[in-house]
Amino acid sequence: MRLKEDPMNPLGCNTRNRWQVSDITANLVRPPVVSRPVTLSAPPKQVTLDLARTAMIVIDMQNDFCHPEGWLAGIGVDITPARAPIAPLSRLLPALRGAGVPVIWVNWGNRKDLANIPPSLLHVYDPEGRGTGLGGALPVHDAHVLEHGSWSAGIVDELAADASCDIHVDKYRMSGFWDTVLDSVLRNLRVDTLLFAGVNMDQCVMATLQDASCLGYDCILLEDCSATTSPDFCAQATVYNVRQCFGFVTSGDECLRAMHDGAA
């Protein structure tokens, strides 16, 4: 039995996974989590998820992919599709934060020395070895392609993160789980369900979602909050494969509707 003069102190970086400790006591019982179910349409099914056990993963909504002066635009890629998720995410993210759902930004942010990037990956983006790929210098903003801490790796201005609660994870491959802290962060948040958004839907979003599914997370792709600069059939195949093999597909606006109805 704990003595009255034994004051307890919280120990943990978030309220979801926290002990109470003192100099003579360690209470490992976590705070109870109050379930907050919402039901949304994810054809061909209705899906009920628990907002209290859900996190939002936003992938690569950064300047190099989505800004007119970023890397992709600079090498001639039409980034119009990559900017399509900005408006629906602008509506959805504040509502998710208000509902206590963690927002996790997973952006490509390489080491300056590219010490963990093998030639096979460099070749994807610089097949002729002329330095226009990862780590290459941009003509504006004094930045290098997908470099951690640079303008290139920063979130586009229209989707500014909330410094008080959002979480940032750098990635170095298509998947946000490979060689990163993402899985550890999610497990520390004690979440089961992941909402996915960002670019490119058929590449980094899909690779991260597939890995999440293999790790046992419940995966939901938000189709209107995701996009790709690839041909349309790539997005169609991604939606098909998520529904068929890896989870569910719905929209950010449907999430908003479900949260509104659940709060009514």
Side-chain angles (χ1 to χ4, degrees):
M1 179 179 295
R2 183 169 61 89
L3 300 177
K4 290 183 179 180
E5 59 270 18
D6 178 25
M8 302 293 281
N9 302 302
L11 187 65
C13 68
N14 66 71
T15 58
R16 297 163 176 253
N17 191 16
R18 180 169 289 175
W19 293 358
Q20 295 288 327
V21 300
S22 72
D23 56 342
I24 61 172
T25 303
N27 183 348
L28 280 55
V29 178
R30 272 70 168 180
V33 177
V34 179
S35 181
R36 287 175 289 142
V38 296
T39 300
L40 45 81
S41 175
K45 293 193 174 184
Q46 297 287 312
V47 174
T48 300
L49 60 86
D50 186 355
L51 290 176
R53 301 298 297 269
T54 298
M56 176 78 204
I57 310 293
V58 186
I59 298 171
D60 288 350
M61 292 301 297
Q62 59 196 89
N63 290 320
D64 258 352
F65 296 128
C66 305
H67 193 284
E69 295 176 342
W71 174 45
L72 285 192
I75 60 175
V77 176
D78 179 8
I79 64 163
T80 303
R83 294 183 59 80
I86 291 175
L89 281 171
S90 295
R91 296 190 294 270
L92 178 61
L93 296 183
L96 290 175
R97 293 185 187 106
V101 175
V103 174
I104 303 175
W105 300 89
V106 182
N107 280 15
W108 204 312
N110 291 321
R111 292 168 53 101
K112 187 173 184 178
D113 60 9
L114 300 177
N116 63 329
I117 306 299
S120 59
L121 185 57
L122 293 172
H123 180 263
V124 173
Y125 303 103
D126 186 13
E128 298 178 354
R130 295 180 178 175
T132 56
L134 303 181
L138 292 180
V140 295
H141 297 285
D142 190 28
H144 292 82
V145 173
L146 300 182
E147 183 176 287
H148 170 75
S150 72
W151 176 88
S152 301
I155 301 165
V156 291
D157 288 342
E158 297 92 334
L159 292 175
D162 188 327
S164 69
C165 59
D166 290 1
I167 298 170
H168 299 263
V169 174
D170 292 318
K171 70 180 179 67
Y172 323 105
R173 299 290 193 276
M174 294 279 184
S175 172
F177 284 98
W178 186 256
D179 199 25
T180 77
V181 300
L182 181 56
D183 187 46
S184 296
V185 168
L186 293 171
R187 295 189 186 282
N188 203 32
L189 289 169
R190 304 177 77 81
V191 299
D192 303 311
T193 301
L194 304 180
L195 307 175
F196 285 90
V199 294
N200 277 315
M201 180 197 290
D202 56 322
Q203 297 172 8
C204 293
V205 176
M206 184 59 168
T208 308
L209 187 152
Q210 284 179 292
D211 279 353
S213 177
C214 291
L215 288 166
Y217 293 100
D218 308 324
C219 299
I220 300 177
L221 175 67
L222 304 182
E223 189 173 2
D224 61 336
C225 295
S226 306
T228 182
T229 56
S230 304
D232 288 344
F233 66 82
C234 296
Q236 294 168 13
T238 300
V239 169
Y240 173 86
N241 281 317
V242 171
R243 283 187 176 136
Q244 182 74 12
C245 303
F246 302 110
F248 304 93
V249 180
T250 187
S251 69
D253 285 345
E254 174 62 11
C255 288
L256 284 172
R257 182 208 60 77
M259 286 191 290
H260 179 268
D261 290 353

